[in-house]
Amino acid sequence: MELRIKRAPRIDIEITVPGDKSISHRAVIIAALSNGACTLHGFLPSDDCMHTVNAMRSLGIKIEEPQRDTLIVHGKKRVLTPPKKEIDCGNSGTTMRLLAGLLAGQTFESRLVGDAGLSRRPMDRVIAPLSKMGANILAEGPEQTPPLRIRGGSLRGIHHRLPIASGQVKSALLLAGLFAKGRTTVDEPLPTRNHTEVLFNYFLVRTATDGEGSVTVFGDQVPESRDFTIPGDISSAAFWLVAAAAQPRGHLLVREVGLNDTRTALLGVLLRMGAQVREAIEDVDQLEPRGVVEVTGFPLKGTVIQGREVPQLIDELPILAVAGVLANGKTIIRHAQELRVKETDRIAAIAHNLRTMGAQVTETNDGLEVHGPAPLHGARVASFGDHRIAMAFAIAGLFAEGETIVQDAECIRQSYPGFGIVLNEFTNPKRMQISTPVIGSFTPTPVKET
Ligand code: S3P
């Protein structure tokens, strides 16, 4: 499938985005371990998350889908049954790494497989600490890549310091910790998304934190079944937020979106680049904050993204690189070497596509430097099988002269089914649903900068 994109007319629109991907994966797994039925509203029915749903089904969990974004997960008090065959994680790194943690705590043997892209991604980051806890994990691919053969059971809690900041690895260890003897503590070099910890608290699993960057889970606990509503995914909203921010007088409201502050660093960057950005948390009842974000576009200026900010906007870096070429001056992204081991080497993919569209880009080991404002021209660009690359370049197309074609765009279904429908609204002025300006009625939350 190809996406064909033309320059956007004036943006003035109000949208919602589908459920948060990271939270959807975790909610299904934790609900499945709970002691009863949990209804999950706002679930993201994307390819990645459906791999987690099907994996939990293959482990003996009954999961009903009364609606596309509603699941009823019948928790079985941590009892899982051996899968009849290998578990297919598709292209989803989150599915494979979280399940590695979960399966490390089971007494049966299982095998996790992925598609060609996932089969190239490093798994030593979960294998090493889970082995330290007592699991037996064999990576069948070269250099510790999938498939993974896992024989777990009788784990002991450990105190582990992550060498790389990773929400996935932290979560894998916390899930394994639930099945381990004693306590499992994970220290992270820089704070990453904390949805596992938040959901543990919501499902009444006891955890402890020792300041920022250290979390402990106590073993042998059963999550208490509860219903939960997953907020919209700010990483999906990011594409539209950048589009509105980069168009002078562009205006966008995103409602019902997750505003967990381990995920909102993008807003701070857009603010510093010169856009007007407001966020208002409207609901924290279920512990994951949700609310409204409003962005008004201004001529943007270049910025530096580095250090502590990077793990908190790791998935937003492709679209922020696009924001960089639309801004005045230089935008530098550093300390982002993790981008090289995402769904594709995102540093190389961004540099390649930006150059194809006429921008000046320097690729570094751990990031990129882009020079703006670049007069982008429409071109055929590749998705590299990576959903975030495909979506970032669809947005670049909204600012380019002529037509942009994003090839192999079906990968967008991994995180954002329905992206193409919203994209049509952005390119078709008649369909633009004029948003009600709400600036003025918000209490802006200060956005942290590095
Ligand atoms: C995720 C963590 C991040 C992110 C991925 C989802 C998660 O990966 O890139 O899309 O749900 O924990 P890392 O933990 O590998 O940085």
Side-chain angles (χ1 to χ4, degrees):
M1 178 193 111
E2 288 180 346
L3 277 181
R4 289 174 177 264
I5 306 112
K6 292 219 181 72
R7 190 186 280 283
R10 190 167 156 244
I11 296 168
D12 186 3
I13 191 166
E14 181 173 327
I15 60 167
T16 55
V17 285
D20 188 280
K21 178 160 89 74
S22 292
I23 302 177
S24 293
H25 284 293
R26 288 157 170 82
V28 175
I29 295 174
I30 298 171
L33 300 176
S34 78
N35 58 356
C38 307
T39 302
L40 305 178
H41 300 281
F43 178 80
L44 173 67
S46 73
D47 286 1
D48 276 12
C49 294
M50 290 314 292
H51 276 106
T52 296
V53 168
N54 290 329
M56 296 315 294
R57 284 181 172 141
S58 75
L59 293 164
I61 302 297
K62 181 173 161 203
I63 302 177
E64 298 170 77
E65 291 170 71
Q67 279 162 23
R68 213 169 126 66
D69 65 349
T70 304
L71 297 182
I72 305 172
V73 182
H74 295 266
K76 284 201 336 194
K77 282 195 191 163
R78 305 185 357 152
V79 176
L80 300 176
T81 47
K84 292 203 172 64
K85 53 181 178 60
E86 59 193 24
I87 298 177
D88 181 9
C89 303
N91 188 254
S92 174
T94 310
T95 304
M96 186 168 282
R97 295 191 177 124
L98 266 52
L99 284 184
L102 177 70
L103 293 169
Q106 315 306 316
T107 47
F108 50 79
E109 188 170 307
S110 44
R111 187 165 179 265
L112 297 176
V113 300
D115 70 4
L118 180 54
S119 298
R120 284 192 289 271
R121 296 184 65 184
M123 292 295 148
D124 44 340
R125 52 186 65 198
V126 285
I127 296 173
L130 291 172
S131 305
K132 222 163 82 184
M133 293 176 82
N136 201 320
I137 307 183
L138 173 76
E140 295 176 13
E143 294 173 46
Q144 307 270 314
T145 52
L148 299 183
R149 196 174 278 285
I150 303 178
R151 192 153 30 79
S154 66
L155 300 183
R156 52 188 172 273
I158 56 167
H159 190 144
H160 184 73
R161 183 167 174 77
L162 298 178
I164 311 162
S166 163
Q168 290 179 351
V169 180
K170 173 176 63 174
S171 300
L173 300 185
L174 294 175
L175 286 169
L178 211 52
F179 291 86
K181 245 196 205 87
R183 52 173 74 189
T184 298
T185 301
V186 186
D187 296 342
E188 36 186 9
L190 291 170
T192 63
R193 63 194 70 198
N194 64 359
H195 305 302
T196 304
E197 300 90 300
V198 169
L199 281 178
F200 271 176
N201 291 345
Y202 181 74
F203 285 89
L204 304 182
V205 171
R206 206 170 127 236
T207 60
T209 47
D210 182 9
E212 188 192 73
S214 179
V215 56
T216 297
V217 65
F218 301 88
D220 214 18
Q221 300 184 73
V222 178
E224 189 65 36
S225 65
R226 303 184 72 179
D227 297 342
F228 182 66
T229 303
I230 294 154
D233 195 328
I234 188 135
S235 298
S236 298
F239 299 100
W240 316 119
L241 291 168
V242 166
Q247 186 190 72
R249 294 178 47 245
H251 178 240
L252 171 69
L253 266 183
V254 187
R255 296 201 181 271
E256 296 290 313
V257 67
L259 292 173
N260 178 317
D261 66 4
T262 62
R263 294 284 300 283
T264 51
L266 162 87
L267 303 180
V269 175
L270 292 180
L271 199 62
R272 167 157 116 229
M273 292 179 84
Q276 188 171 29
V277 182
R278 313 274 176 128
E279 58 167 303
I281 293 176
E282 295 177 324
D283 181 6
V284 281
D285 283 358
Q286 301 198 332
L287 304 186
E288 279 290 355
R290 73 178 63 228
V292 191
V293 176
E294 178 170 40
V295 165
T296 306
F298 280 89
L300 298 181
K301 50 185 188 291
T303 190
V304 180
I305 301 169
Q306 60 184 352
R308 178 189 170 83
E309 213 166 38
V310 169
Q312 308 213 342
L313 44 63
I314 191 76
D315 291 339
E316 286 70 79
L317 289 173
I319 188 60
L320 279 171
V322 171
V325 298
L326 300 173
N328 260 302
K330 207 195 276 186
T331 291
I332 303 176
I333 298 174
R334 304 193 174 103
H335 306 143
Q337 55 274 28
E338 273 296 292
L339 289 185
R340 296 213 181 264
V341 290
K342 293 291 175 192
E343 282 80 336
T344 186
D345 175 344
R346 284 185 178 162
I347 295 177
I350 295 166
H352 182 273
N353 281 354
L354 283 179
R355 286 189 191 118
T356 308
M357 294 182 78
Q360 210 190 318
V361 188
T362 311
E363 196 181 318
T364 59
N365 278 343
D366 67 349
L368 295 152
E369 279 186 28
V370 299
H371 300 264
L376 296 180
H377 56 74
R380 264 186 182 274
V381 290
S383 71
F384 297 88
D386 182 322
H387 52 132
R388 297 202 199 276
I389 296 295
M391 291 187 278
F393 283 88
I395 301 300
L398 295 177
F399 292 87
E401 198 57 55
E403 191 181 50
T404 299
I405 299 170
V406 179
Q407 294 170 311
D408 303 320
E410 55 284 341
C411 52
I412 290 174
R413 284 201 314 253
Q414 282 153 22
S415 66
Y416 196 162
F419 175 86
I421 296 169
V422 184
L423 186 67
N424 266 339
E425 291 181 20
F426 270 72
T427 49
N428 186 342
K430 285 200 207 84
R431 294 181 51 187
M432 203 160 279
Q433 179 196 334
I434 305 300
S435 61
T436 336
V438 290
I439 284 187
S441 61
F442 281 173
T443 317
T445 315
V447 187
K448 281 180 238 133
E449 292 189 14
T450 45

